[in-house]
Amino acid sequence: MLDAKKIAQDFPILQKKSRGKRFVYLNSAATTQKPRQVIEAISDFYSNHHGTVHRGSSEISAQATEMFEKAHENIGKFVNASMQETVLTRNTTESLNLLAYSLSKKYLKPGDEVLLTKMEHHSNIVPWQQLALEKGFTVKYAGITKSGELDISDLQEKISNKTKVVSFTHCSNVLGTINDAKEISRIARDAGAISIVDGAQSVPHMMVDFKKIGCDFLAFSGHKMLGPTGIGVLAGKKERFEELPPFLFGGDMISEVFFDHSTWNDLPFKFEAGTPHSAGAIGLSAAIDYLEKIGIEDVLRHERELTKFAFEKLSGLGFVEMHGPIPEKRGGVISFNVRGIHPHDVGGVLDEYGIEIRTGSHCAQPLTRELGLESGSARMSFYVYNYREDIEAAVEAIEKTFRLMGK
Ligand code: PLP
């Protein structure tokens, strides 16, 4: 069993005070805090080993290259993807933009369809919308049920021989809903479509095996799993990556350059143009080592326990409406509204108590509208360093907020 209080000791920022109170961080779905082990790995790299990767001739530069490639390999291994199947990007957003651009350049033409879901983050909507304007394909959305789950029968109805891509979130950052990525990928495959899993909210919290899911691509972000900002991942089937054109062009992604044409580097570097974020890869690899030491299976178990506890406490208040399915069907994310109080005010008052949550549309405006939440919602989200007292503190502050401002 995971010892969250002990884990929290590894996080320097969680030892700090906010508004003169113990800093309670309940915003990990936005970004996670970093343990000492990750901070030290980055600091050690810059202090002792930093040099240009793939380009230098010195001993130090060779060390930097070796460390970067080792980290690169470790990052892919975490989701059961080989080095050639793992492209490093800046974040999930860049991974999804890469796919929208390269897939639409290679495959998508007028009359084709891309199927998304109504619970997508903006990063899995806007790139497709923009490329649709250019290439003339249509973007469709599978609906959600009243309980906040994906409506699989609607997805099945909307998929046809026109569907070339099915791109969906593994776990909703608003509703917490965990989608059956294996089943949706199978449906896509059977229809002859390419499947893309947005793993931004799943990979950090549960065992995600790229090969077992059977999808074509899996995207996720380092900063949501204890790693640094600026490093993300796109895992993909080798044969898919091989047939796709590159997204960005320049150094490192080429094999040969002539004045009139160029040829591309081997995988994964064909998709990694320019000087890589070597320190980011090393930090993310250290974060993965840290999560593996905890045991990734224990992470979701721990978050579920906290989610159940928070559900009980919040529903006990009688003036809090929670959105999304029951705790057994979700990750550690709870979006909610307090009767008569604007979500921003809830966030503002909680901040006065040293508690950070997120408020607004959570970068999912279409879903927020679909749920009828014109002012958005408040959201608390959990990770390995959260424990019951964090939730108790938040619930107590919500109760005080309601007494102060509620109706
Ligand atoms: N997809 C989902 C489900 C998310 O929750 C997020 C971020 O919150 C993203 C994609 C985008 O991640 P990033 O901002 O790291 O690119």
Side-chain angles (χ1 to χ4, degrees):
M1 200 58 196
L2 177 162
D3 186 346
K5 279 192 180 165
K6 189 156 169 271
I7 288 171
Q9 296 301 312
D10 285 334
F11 291 72
I13 209 162
L14 298 178
Q15 315 313 312
K16 290 187 97 75
K17 289 200 180 306
S18 177
R19 308 282 180 203
K21 314 236 170 23
R22 180 173 80 86
F23 180 37
V24 175
Y25 188 71
L26 294 173
N27 197 14
S28 293
T31 195
T32 59
Q33 297 299 352
K34 319 301 168 197
R36 183 171 42 77
Q37 290 82 342
V38 168
I39 299 165
E40 282 168 8
I42 297 167
S43 167
D44 171 61
F45 177 67
Y46 277 134
S47 306
N48 302 306
H49 311 286
H50 178 255
T52 186
V53 160
H54 295 155
R55 290 165 174 88
S57 54
S58 71
E59 185 192 4
I60 296 286
S61 167
Q63 270 176 21
T65 301
E66 197 184 324
M67 286 177 77
F68 170 68
E69 295 208 344
K70 211 168 139 217
H72 199 306
E73 199 152 4
N74 195 37
I75 292 166
K77 212 165 91 223
F78 187 61
V79 292
N80 195 17
S82 70
M83 179 80 168
Q84 289 179 312
E85 294 168 322
T86 310
V87 167
L88 296 183
T89 61
R90 277 194 304 145
N91 45 38
T92 306
T93 303
E94 187 174 288
S95 298
L96 294 170
N97 271 272
L98 184 163
L99 288 175
Y101 173 84
S102 295
L103 287 171
S104 62
K105 201 165 176 195
K106 173 82 186 172
Y107 297 112
L108 298 173
K109 49 184 192 321
D112 287 343
E113 292 178 2
V114 168
L115 183 56
L116 312 175
T117 82
K118 287 190 175 174
M119 58 170 88
E120 298 311 312
H121 185 278
H122 294 160
S123 62
N124 198 26
I125 298 177
V126 187
W128 300 110
Q129 280 176 348
Q130 290 307 302
L131 269 305
L133 290 175
E134 228 174 89
K135 302 283 173 183
F137 60 86
T138 306
V139 181
K140 289 194 160 178
Y141 299 88
I144 53 171
T145 64
K146 278 208 164 63
S147 60
E149 290 172 75
L150 183 63
D151 187 341
I152 288 281
S153 55
D154 188 51
L155 182 129
Q156 266 163 329
E157 243 167 62
K158 285 184 174 139
I159 207 165
S160 73
N161 58 4
K162 289 186 196 160
T163 314
K164 296 293 180 291
V165 175
V166 179
S167 188
F168 61 97
T169 190
H170 197 177
C171 176
S172 163
N173 64 317
V174 178
L175 300 162
T177 317
I178 297 174
N179 291 316
D180 187 344
K182 195 174 172 182
E183 175 62 4
I184 302 167
S185 303
R186 185 197 61 74
I187 296 170
R189 196 168 49 248
D190 288 354
I194 291 168
S195 53
I196 302 168
V197 178
D198 172 355
Q201 298 294 345
S202 63
V203 173
H205 305 277
M206 62 180 99
M207 172 74 90
V208 175
D209 185 317
F210 165 65
K211 296 214 170 62
K212 277 197 186 143
I213 289 176
C215 55
D216 290 289
F217 297 101
L218 167 73
F220 57 99
S221 296
H223 72 97
K224 291 187 195 284
M225 51 192 290
L226 311 179
T229 49
I231 188 89
V233 182
L234 177 63
K237 284 185 179 157
K238 187 167 162 258
E239 58 275 22
R240 288 287 185 211
F241 274 142
E242 268 166 355
E243 63 196 20
L244 281 186
F247 174 45
L248 298 170
F249 301 87
D252 226 21
M253 57 75 66
I254 48 83
S255 168
E256 286 187 293
V257 177
F258 303 89
F259 280 125
D260 60 352
H261 77 284
S262 304
T263 57
W264 313 139
N265 201 347
D266 294 333
L267 290 174
F269 305 115
K270 171 184 158 189
F271 289 99
E272 296 185 5
T275 302
H277 185 12
S278 44
I282 281 149
L284 177 53
S285 177
I288 285 170
D289 291 346
Y290 188 89
L291 284 170
E292 281 179 334
K293 217 162 148 198
I294 292 173
I296 191 73
E297 294 88 352
D298 274 352
V299 175
L300 184 62
R301 210 173 296 146
H302 171 69
E303 290 173 12
R304 278 254 164 89
E305 209 240 300
L306 291 180
T307 305
K308 271 189 202 158
F309 181 69
F311 251 65
E312 279 162 26
K313 289 273 173 197
L314 289 171
S315 49
L317 293 176
F319 48 80
V320 173
E321 186 195 359
M322 286 174 281
H323 313 293
I326 54 170
E328 288 74 12
K329 293 189 174 180
R330 60 157 82 211
V333 173
I334 304 179
S335 294
F336 62 95
N337 285 81
V338 182
R339 197 169 69 223
I341 312 179
H342 195 286
H344 290 329
D345 292 333
V346 176
V349 179
L350 261 62
D351 172 47
E352 293 298 316
Y353 290 96
I355 302 164
E356 176 172 334
I357 60 164
R358 168 100 190 251
T359 62
S361 69
H362 318 298
C363 293
Q365 288 177 9
L367 173 63
T368 307
R369 269 185 224 108
E370 185 81 3
L371 295 170
L373 304 171
E374 290 311 319
S375 318
S377 61
R379 178 185 76 185
M380 52 172 86
S381 52
F382 316 125
Y383 209 25
V384 291
Y385 36 66
N386 291 119
Y387 40 92
R388 282 182 173 217
E389 283 91 325
D390 294 344
I391 294 164
E392 279 167 345
V395 172
E396 199 178 309
I398 290 168
E399 201 169 2
K400 284 180 182 154
T401 314
F402 183 73
R403 268 196 241 123
L404 209 70
M405 310 162 86
K407 289 180 193 129

